[in-house]
Amino acid sequence: MTKVKVFAPAKINLTLHVTGQRADGYHELDTVVAFADIGDWVTLYGSGPVGLDVTGPEAVPELAGNDNIMWRTASRFWKPDMPLSMKLEKHLPMASGIGGGSADAAATYRGLLSLRAALEGRDAPRDPTPQDARDLLSIGADVPMCVVSDPARVQGIGEQISPIADLHPYPIVLVNPRVQVSTPAVFSNLAVKHNPGLDPLPETFEDRDAALSWLRAQRNDLQRPAIDDCPVIAEVLNALEQSGTCSLARMSGSGATCFGLFERMHTANTAADAIRAAYPEWWVQVGRLNGGRHAAPQLIRSTT
């Protein structure tokens, strides 16, 4: 049996500036994204009954449906006459602003390339073809950046990806108050759709203090309209800031997950423990940025 296991890291919008809205309704963004070592796991089998098995602490029945974004990805990048069985181990909350579905689609894409290459006895391609990139963008605007899973500045509707090579692997605390925020509703609540883009990026992100100073000067334009729609987000941000050791607290994407960056892992763990104790119903996770380094497909061959 041949299978491929792929990590699907959470996508964190460290900044998110909404710079325009196109005639087709898509919003143009200018954002810096990074990826945490917190995420889902996708396993693909080139044999067995066709199906999608969903497990894990964040598994819900609707994820196993035929409209799952993993099936939409497989329909584009897998031959219909080849058997395919998929498993999703779900650790990221749904509709939480950290790219869970897009990360799963991206992991499925990477895994399909690796699995097909293994079955055909060749090396897997390292980068998407131009046509693959267009297809991935049509599946979801966040999918191409999740395929890369490395820190980057992303512009346009998600198709312009400029790598950032030296972002520090900051300890990070992710907090979701267990509410789902409607992305279309948040965008519709945004009064001004044409906002300034990012300030000029630092020449290097290696200087942690300078990088944090730059990040603090940026913003998430969706944070205020998301709070207007879901006030508990402000409570989440306050809980992160009240730790006293959080270097930056901000909402990711369209919410409701917020993140806190920390200087040391032990202070991140202390802050997370305090938030869990005060809000036991919230989803709280601790990790590091640059989790995309774990996202390479793992090819597994066995006789069972």
Side-chain angles (χ1 to χ4, degrees):
M1 179 182 66
T2 300
K3 66 179 180 180
V4 173
K5 189 172 184 179
V6 192
F7 183 56
K11 171 195 64 69
I12 315 300
N13 292 94
L14 298 176
T15 69
L16 198 163
H17 295 200
V18 180
T19 58
Q21 186 173 19
R22 305 191 325 183
D24 60 8
Y26 280 97
H27 290 83
E28 295 186 331
L29 308 176
D30 194 0
T31 177
V32 168
V33 297
F35 295 82
D37 58 0
I38 304 161
D40 300 335
W41 285 94
V42 170
T43 306
L44 307 176
Y45 302 80
S47 60
V50 174
L52 172 58
D53 181 29
V54 182
T55 62
E58 297 299 317
V60 293
E62 53 263 39
L63 284 172
N66 292 333
D67 59 345
N68 187 294
I69 195 170
M70 292 170 60
W71 281 125
R72 301 207 303 273
T73 304
S75 70
R76 297 285 186 96
F77 300 106
W78 193 251
K79 289 183 177 181
D81 60 341
M82 297 177 65
L84 177 66
S85 177
M86 302 191 291
K87 289 187 178 180
L88 171 62
E89 187 181 313
K90 193 68 180 165
H91 294 269
L92 302 178
M94 291 179 59
S96 55
I98 50 178
S102 296
D104 296 341
T108 300
Y109 169 76
R110 294 194 304 271
L112 289 172
L113 294 187
S114 180
L115 181 59
R116 184 170 174 181
L119 293 174
E120 295 177 352
R122 57 179 175 81
D123 293 332
R126 297 187 60 180
D127 300 307
T129 66
Q131 182 59 55
D132 280 6
R134 290 189 289 269
D135 287 342
L136 291 165
L137 189 67
S138 71
I139 292 170
D142 286 351
V143 177
M145 67 184 83
C146 289
V147 167
V148 177
S149 282
D150 284 328
R153 179 184 189 175
V154 181
Q155 296 170 279
I157 63 170
E159 80 283 10
Q160 302 173 37
I161 303 173
S162 303
I164 295 174
D166 49 6
L167 185 69
H168 181 72
Y170 296 99
I172 188 170
V173 176
L174 298 180
V175 183
N176 183 281
R178 291 297 187 184
V179 296
Q180 293 187 9
V181 178
S182 167
T183 298
V186 171
F187 273 104
S188 67
N189 290 341
L190 181 63
V192 180
K193 305 296 179 69
H194 294 78
N195 301 286
L198 297 175
D199 292 342
L201 268 63
E203 291 186 7
T204 175
F205 281 82
E206 287 182 327
D207 185 328
R208 285 184 289 176
D209 292 338
L212 281 169
S213 178
W214 182 85
L215 286 169
R216 291 189 194 103
Q218 312 314 305
R219 57 188 194 274
N220 181 342
D221 287 332
L222 300 181
Q223 184 168 296
R224 173 45 55 187
I227 291 173
D228 291 341
D229 188 63
C230 182
V232 71
I233 294 172
E235 193 173 350
V236 174
L237 291 167
N238 183 66
L240 286 164
E241 291 166 347
Q242 288 301 310
S243 71
T245 56
C246 181
S247 300
L248 173 66
R250 184 169 285 158
M251 188 183 79
S252 178
S254 58
T257 303
C258 300
F259 67 87
L261 298 185
F262 291 79
E263 290 291 331
R264 298 287 184 267
M265 184 59 74
H266 75 273
T267 57
N269 279 309
T270 299
D273 288 343
I275 294 172
R276 290 190 189 102
Y279 304 93
E281 71 278 11
W282 288 1
W283 180 84
V284 183
Q285 296 292 323
V286 183
R288 284 188 180 275
L289 291 185
N290 293 356
R293 67 185 59 180
H294 305 293
Q298 304 171 20
L299 180 65
I300 303 169
R301 299 182 189 271
S302 70
T303 57
T304 59

